[in-house]
Amino acid sequence: MMKELPLSKVYQLLEPGPVVLLTTARKGRTNVMTMSWHMMVEFEPPLVACVVSNRGYSFAALRATKECVIAVPARKLASKVVNVGNCSGRDVEKFDRFALTPVPAARVAPPLVAECFANLECKVADTRLVNTYNLFVLEVLKAWIDPAQKNPKTLHHHGYGRFAVDGKMITLKSRMR
Amino acid sequence: MMKELPLSKVYQLLEPGPVVLLTTARKGRTNVMTMSWHMMVEFEPPLVACVVSNRGYSFAALRATKECVIAVPARKLASKVVNVGNCSGRDVEKFDRFALTPVPAARVAPPLVAECFANLECKVADTRLVNTYNLFVLEVLKAWIDPAQKNPKTLHHHGYGRFAVDGKMITLKSRMR
């Protein structure tokens, strides 16, 4: 179902700034949160920085287990993405509640999300800015893409549930990677 | 021309992941680079993390002066954004070459970019991850918006000059800020 994606291409998924889901697993409980505060830090091995609020249920799991999965949803998942963001794993089994399908990952304990068109298995690589800013640096260990989802349109959060959906693609002559 | 934007709204500009320009000024020389590796870190005062390659001309200026401006271009500037990214301030006076108009900032030495619909005056707030990842944490001191540019569509880089342009906006009921 999922096809492996070369690690050298991971930046092309996250650099455009899509809303993503982040999954964690701890003491037999999985959880999933919604996240827009992330960026690429290095091409290969791919490093990703992200901010995970210490008020959320995912923070303690990420800090303790040092593992997560970043899953990239396309437009059809918009309402689930918002619903996931509007409740806490303290109160809700979100995979069940929102009918998201956990799929075992290859290298980490947190699950992939079957409905997402891309999934990135990550381990925490740097915690120096966690105490000050809740900022984690992750290394992507393995990446998956769902070839059945062609030209997925991603979501870009402008605040308060307002999203820009990807429109047309343009290509300009560029030497930039 | 430019109207001040409340600092509490800055995250709504950067969280969606647009390609931005970053300006610096050092020893009487201004420069501008193209950047997609940035994310929000805190709402207010707004903190922004970004990666500025140490192979580029802007890196030394940012590290030495601890000041920059993040300018957000709309779709009509796409070719200039790519051209700015394809050359170095070592060789080219980019504001002149690409007919971008520097405008004095209020709180920092680097200029605003008149053609961009938003401009954020920033100072470096944290350099702990600069040596390892070229990762700066910036604080936004003052923010400007151009009211004449209505509903600007931003650009999201997918690699090698391929960009998704913002398409339609959707709004879902959400408690998320």
Side-chain angles (χ1 to χ4, degrees):
Chain A
M1 183 173 70
M2 298 268 193
K3 189 182 149 203
E4 195 168 353
L5 180 76
L7 292 180
S8 60
K9 294 193 171 177
V10 164
Y11 81 96
Q12 297 177 9
L13 294 169
L14 296 188
E15 183 170 313
V19 173
V20 299
L21 301 177
L22 184 140
T23 79
T24 49
R26 190 184 185 201
K27 297 178 181 168
R29 276 205 66 190
T30 56
N31 190 35
V32 54
M33 61 170 268
T34 298
M35 176 169 85
S36 277
W37 291 10
H38 61 78
M39 69 171 175
M40 291 305 302
V41 168
E42 185 52 88
F43 287 105
E44 197 174 3
L47 299 178
V48 178
C50 65
V51 175
V52 175
S53 169
N54 61 10
R55 294 185 303 277
Y57 188 74
S58 301
F59 178 85
L62 180 58
R63 183 149 70 168
T65 68
K66 293 194 174 342
E67 292 185 343
C68 63
V69 167
I70 295 175
V72 191
R75 189 245 156 100
K76 64 178 175 180
L77 293 179
S79 64
K80 293 194 187 200
V81 165
V82 170
N83 288 337
V84 164
N86 278 331
C87 63
S88 169
R90 264 184 292 270
D91 315 312
V92 178
E93 282 284 359
K94 296 198 219 177
F95 275 93
D96 283 353
R97 170 79 68 93
F98 303 117
L100 293 168
T101 311
V103 176
R107 302 274 305 268
V108 299
L112 314 180
V113 180
E115 290 78 8
C116 288
F117 73 88
N119 279 274
L120 311 175
E121 303 185 22
C122 302
K123 70 169 182 190
V124 173
D126 197 309
T127 58
R128 275 179 284 171
L129 298 193
V130 170
N131 286 343
T132 319
Y133 305 115
N134 302 326
L135 189 159
F136 296 84
V137 179
L138 310 173
E139 179 181 340
V140 180
L141 302 174
K142 207 165 182 77
W144 303 98
I145 198 108
D146 177 1
Q149 295 195 44
K150 310 278 188 209
N151 304 314
K153 294 198 178 296
T154 59
L155 301 162
H156 303 268
H157 192 228
H158 285 250
Y160 299 100
R162 194 162 164 266
F163 296 88
V165 182
D166 286 339
K168 77 170 173 175
M169 302 293 300
I170 59 174
T171 302
L172 295 165
K173 199 162 201 165
S174 175
R175 285 190 299 274
M176 286 188 290
R177 174 151 66 160
Chain B
M1 183 174 70
M2 299 268 193
K3 188 183 150 202
E4 195 166 353
L5 180 75
L7 291 179
S8 60
K9 294 193 171 177
V10 163
Y11 82 96
Q12 297 177 8
L13 293 169
L14 295 188
E15 182 170 313
V19 174
V20 299
L21 301 177
L22 184 140
T23 80
T24 49
R26 189 185 185 199
K27 297 177 182 168
R29 275 205 67 190
T30 57
N31 190 33
V32 54
M33 62 169 268
T34 298
M35 178 169 85
S36 278
W37 290 11
H38 61 80
M39 68 172 175
M40 290 305 302
V41 170
E42 185 52 87
F43 287 105
E44 196 174 4
L47 299 179
V48 178
C50 65
V51 175
V52 175
S53 169
N54 60 11
R55 295 184 303 276
Y57 188 75
S58 302
F59 178 85
L62 181 57
R63 184 150 70 167
T65 67
K66 293 193 172 347
E67 292 185 344
C68 64
V69 167
I70 294 175
V72 191
R75 189 247 155 101
K76 64 178 176 180
L77 293 179
S79 64
K80 293 193 187 201
V81 166
V82 169
N83 288 336
V84 163
N86 278 330
C87 62
S88 170
R90 266 184 291 273
D91 314 313
V92 177
E93 283 283 0
K94 297 198 218 178
F95 276 93
D96 282 354
R97 170 79 69 93
F98 303 117
L100 293 168
T101 311
V103 176
R107 301 274 304 270
V108 299
L112 315 180
V113 180
E115 290 78 8
C116 288
F117 73 88
N119 279 274
L120 310 175
E121 304 185 21
C122 302
K123 70 169 181 191
V124 173
D126 197 309
T127 58
R128 275 178 283 171
L129 297 193
V130 170
N131 286 344
T132 319
Y133 306 115
N134 302 325
L135 188 160
F136 296 84
V137 179
L138 310 173
E139 179 182 340
V140 180
L141 303 174
K142 207 166 181 75
W144 303 97
I145 198 105
D146 177 2
Q149 296 195 43
K150 310 278 188 209
N151 304 313
K153 294 198 179 297
T154 60
L155 301 162
H156 303 268
H157 192 229
H158 285 250
Y160 299 100
R162 194 162 164 265
F163 296 88
V165 183
D166 287 339
K168 79 169 173 175
M169 302 294 300
I170 59 175
T171 303
L172 295 165
K173 200 161 200 166
S174 175
R175 286 190 300 274
M176 286 187 291
R177 174 150 69 160

